[in-house]
Amino acid sequence: MDMDVLIAPIIIFMIVVAPIWLILHYRSKRQVSQGLTEEEFTQLNELIGKADKMAQRIETLEAILDSEAPQWRNRDERI
């Protein structure tokens, strides 16, 4: 009796859900293996450029703080 209750959901899962699941899984695997698109590569390069500019700005700000307030790194952070 208990097996009869489980058979219908298992059959529905195997016929409907499992094939869709497998198709979507292998489609996503294929997209990952293809690498970046040209647009994504362009965006990545733009983000790298922005990150480099931010790093330079941070270094400049730290240099200014070092010259104007030499103890700023040792100060307790009280927020």
Side-chain angles (χ1 to χ4, degrees), residues 20-77:
I20 294 172
W21 187 359
L22 288 172
I23 289 169
L24 293 175
H25 171 73
Y26 285 109
R27 183 182 295 169
S28 69
K29 287 281 190 185
R30 185 182 57 200
Q31 288 175 349
V32 167
S33 68
Q34 288 178 348
L36 297 176
T37 65
E38 196 170 318
E39 180 182 341
E40 291 170 335
F41 187 73
T42 303
Q43 287 178 342
L44 181 61
N45 283 329
E46 288 175 4
L47 289 173
I48 290 170
K50 289 180 181 182
D52 289 340
K53 286 180 183 179
M54 285 179 59
Q56 290 173 352
R57 289 178 179 170
I58 290 170
E59 288 176 11
T60 302
L61 289 171
E62 287 179 344
I64 292 169
L65 282 171
D66 285 337
S67 66
E68 292 186 6
Q71 298 300 321
W72 73 274
R73 293 180 193 261
N74 299 330
R75 196 172 72 187
D76 288 339
E77 293 185 22

